[in-house]
């Protein structure tokens, strides 16, 4: 029976009949985009994370881009982030003509090391983009302390951290801006989608402007008023709008966020239990200030067997993955001034990690199968 197990991905969406119904309702309504569902989604998401404002956009990468633009990041500026992340966390700085600078990670939490961040601050540093890797929060007090000392903007990449808590407070209102993603493998999905939350009205106004071409109809920003049709382009933005179809799905999904998070925690606890005392596997350690949202569950094994274990699991229909390849090692970065960059902890981590399945609809039986297959391999190969 085990060998006939169907494919189990490392992550996937959970869609129910309510999700389908609300999307269908939008399709039959007057607005497919720029209608009432977007504002409703923004309000509900901002309330959920405890932020004053939210601006929803077409994806998480667009959210990071407009956040960098709103922060005034541009040519000559440096932005410090982690190499253990999806490329978008650094690319957003490049989009603005700025230079991403990679600080090393903390070897225990795998998150960006505040000490390393401080080592990389220069006169040109403008912002820090910490990433709450796997859903475990970064050491935000330490990061804010550095930001205050050197007058830096903090944009949290919380693509892994919907519902995560730092010292009992939800991620989303702690820094100047926070970005979330609603890609299907994330906690809640819009198909594609992203959002920036902020408590600052000035940033909120800029985010809205950059989402839609730099165009505004708001009288307080207009240089003149020519008539009721009149609008102005007062800056250079993009078309990063999200549709009402996506926003309606997001609202429906957000309604189940507590259930989603609870299940992820349950799965993580079961993996912890299965591997805690199992020779050859290191489970992720949790910092006491963080209540993880468990976007990913990452195990560490000896680098000499990582590839074989990965291939064994894939051969057994388990869709494991590696998060992440250190961003600066990509050819694009190596060819654009990063040929000598090296973050030792990040490179060491990369050689040993595998992300194993964690998502709402993962059944007990499927998780047992994943655990059995990992143990089976380890017993034969460690
Ligand atoms: C998913 C993700 C993003 C980008 O989100 P998209 O919605 O796919 O554009 C950015 N940063 C991290 C860490 C992510 O995991």
């Amino acid at each position: 029976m085990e060998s006939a197990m169907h494919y189990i991905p490392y992550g996937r969406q959970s869609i129910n009949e309510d999700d389908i119904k609300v999307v269908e309702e939008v399709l039959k309504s007057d607005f497919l985009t720029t209608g009432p569902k977007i504002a409703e989604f923004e309000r509900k998401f901002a309330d959920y994370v405890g932020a004053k404002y939210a601006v929803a956009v077409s994806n998480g990468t667009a959210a990071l881009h407009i956040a960098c633009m709103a922060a005034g990041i541009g040519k000559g500026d440096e932005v410090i982030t982690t190499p253990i992340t999806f490329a978008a966390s650094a690319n957003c700085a490049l989009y603005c003509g700025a230079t991403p600078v990679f600080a090393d990670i903390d070897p225990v939490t795998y998150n960006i090391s505040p000490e390393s961040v401080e080592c990389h601050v220069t006169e040109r540093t403008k912002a820090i983009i910490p990433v709450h890797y796997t859903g475990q929060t970064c050491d935000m007090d330490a990061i804010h302390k550095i930001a205050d000392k050197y007058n830096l903007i903090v944009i949290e990449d919380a693509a892994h951290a919907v519902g995560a808590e730092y010292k009992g407070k939800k991620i989303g209102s702690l820094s100047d801006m926070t970005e979330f993603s609603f890609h299907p493998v994330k906690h809640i999905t819009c198909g594609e989608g992203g959002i920036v939350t902020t408590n600052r009205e000035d940033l909120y106004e800029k985010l809205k402007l950059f989402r839609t071409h730099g165009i505004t109809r708001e009288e307080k920003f207009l240089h003149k008023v020519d008539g009721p049709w009149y609008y102005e382009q007062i800056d250079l933005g993009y078309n990063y709008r999200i549709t009402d179809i996506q926003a309606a799905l997001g609202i429906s999904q957000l309604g189940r966020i507590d259930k989603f998070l609870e299940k992820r925690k349950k799965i993580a606890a079961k993996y912890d239990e299965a591997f805690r005392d199992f020779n050859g596997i290191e489970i992720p350690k949790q910092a006491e200030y963080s209540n993880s949202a468990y976007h990913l569950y990452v195990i560490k094994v000896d680098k000499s067997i990582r590839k074989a274990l990965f291939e064994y699991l894939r051969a057994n229909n388990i869709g494991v993955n590696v998060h992440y390849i250190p961003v600066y090692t990509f050819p694009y970065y190596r060819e654009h001034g990063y040929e000598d960059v090296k973050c030792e902890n990040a490179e060491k981590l990369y050689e040993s990690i595998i992300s194993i399945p964690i998502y709402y609809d993962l059944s007990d039986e499927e998780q047992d199968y994943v655990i059995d297959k990992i143990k089976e391999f380890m017993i034969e190969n460690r």
Side-chain angles (χ1 to χ4, degrees), residues 106-112 130-140 156-166 171 187 283-297:
D106 177 297
V108 176
T109 64
Y110 315 155
N111 270 324
I112 196 165
V131 179
H132 306 298
Y133 173 67
T134 72
Q136 170 163 227
T137 69
C138 296
D139 186 352
M140 292 312 298
E156 293 173 49
D157 181 341
H160 297 189
V162 178
E165 290 172 348
Y166 175 75
I171 292 297
H187 299 79
I283 59 171
K285 294 185 190 68
Q286 301 298 315
E288 91 289 345
Y289 49 71
S290 164
N291 182 6
S292 179
Y294 285 106
H295 163 57
L296 298 174
Y297 192 92

Side-chain angles (χ1 to χ4, degrees), residues 59-61 64 85-86 88-89 131 157 159-160 179 181 183 186 193 324:
N59 55 68
T61 305
L64 282 169
T85 186
F86 183 58
S89 316
V131 179
D157 181 341
H160 297 189
E179 164 266 339
S181 161
H183 179 278
K186 307 288 164 67
Y324 289 96

Side-chain angles (χ1 to χ4, degrees), residues 70-334:
I73 292 166
K75 205 166 164 17
D77 294 331
E78 293 175 355
V79 176
I80 300 174
T81 191
T82 170
I84 298 295
T85 186
F86 183 58
S89 316
N91 289 347
C92 58
L94 292 177
Y95 295 159
C96 296
T99 304
V101 172
F102 296 95
D104 207 349
I105 56 163
D106 177 297
V108 176
T109 64
Y110 315 155
N111 270 324
I112 196 165
S113 148
E115 293 74 36
S116 183
V117 169
E118 187 155 19
C119 287
H120 286 85
V121 172
T122 71
E123 311 250 273
R124 307 170 93 176
T125 308
K126 178 98 178 183
I128 310 170
I129 303 184
V131 179
H132 306 298
Y133 173 67
T134 72
Q136 170 163 227
T137 69
C138 296
D139 186 352
M140 292 312 298
D141 283 350
I143 289 168
H144 286 146
K145 211 169 139 192
I146 296 163
D148 290 346
K149 186 169 164 190
Y150 299 100
N151 195 22
L152 311 175
I153 287 173
V154 177
I155 301 168
E156 293 173 49
D157 181 341
H160 297 189
V162 178
E165 290 172 348
Y166 175 75
K167 295 191 173 174
K169 213 170 163 200
K170 275 209 184 69
I171 292 297
S173 70
L174 306 178
S175 299
D176 298 290
M177 287 175 277
T178 306
E179 164 266 339
F180 298 87
S181 161
F182 308 122
H183 179 278
V185 295
K186 307 288 164 67
H187 299 79
I188 62 169
T189 190
C190 298
E192 295 271 5
I195 210 163
V196 185
T197 58
T198 182
N199 285 335
R200 280 178 51 181
E201 192 183 355
D202 60 326
L203 294 173
Y204 173 62
E205 296 293 355
K206 286 181 182 163
L207 291 164
K208 282 193 294 182
L209 209 55
F210 293 131
R211 166 174 62 185
T212 175
H213 309 281
I215 286 173
T216 184
R217 290 179 178 277
E218 289 184 48
E219 227 171 277
K220 62 182 172 186
F221 296 123
L222 297 180
H223 295 67
K224 60 174 186 186
V225 182
D226 228 9
W229 64 86
Y230 191 68
Y231 60 83
E232 282 177 354
Q233 183 188 340
I234 59 171
D235 212 321
L236 183 62
Y238 295 81
N239 177 358
Y240 279 164
R241 291 188 302 269
I242 192 166
T243 65
D244 277 55
I245 306 164
Q246 292 162 297
L249 179 55
I251 294 165
S252 180
Q253 291 257 308
L254 188 60
R256 303 206 293 291
I257 185 65
D258 289 341
K259 271 172 63 181
F260 288 166
L261 288 166
E262 202 181 303
K263 179 68 182 282
R264 284 176 181 274
K265 280 197 179 126
K266 207 175 134 218
I267 293 167
K270 185 165 162 170
Y271 281 139
D272 282 349
E273 189 62 29
F275 299 129
R276 183 176 289 114
D277 300 317
F278 191 79
N279 189 13
I281 293 182
E282 200 178 309
I283 59 171
K285 294 185 190 68
Q286 301 298 315
E288 91 289 345
Y289 49 71
S290 164
N291 182 6
S292 179
Y294 285 106
H295 163 57
L296 298 174
Y297 192 92
V298 171
I299 57 168
K300 246 170 90 178
V301 296
D302 193 88
K303 67 177 182 185
S304 64
I305 58 163
R306 192 270 298 269
K307 190 168 179 223
L309 173 59
F310 189 98
E311 287 169 346
Y312 183 79
L313 296 173
R314 279 281 178 96
N316 280 282
N317 254 353
I318 301 170
V320 284
N321 226 311
V322 171
H323 301 94
Y324 289 96
I325 302 157
V327 174
Y328 60 79
T329 66
F330 287 130
Y332 181 86
Y333 277 85
R334 288 301 196 206

Side-chain angles (χ1 to χ4, degrees), residues 1-7 312 315-318 369 373 376:
M1 185 214 128
E2 279 193 353
S3 57
M5 181 57 89
H6 50 262
Y7 182 72
Y312 183 79
N316 280 282
N317 254 353
I318 301 170
Y369 171 79
K373 285 291 156 194
E376 190 178 290

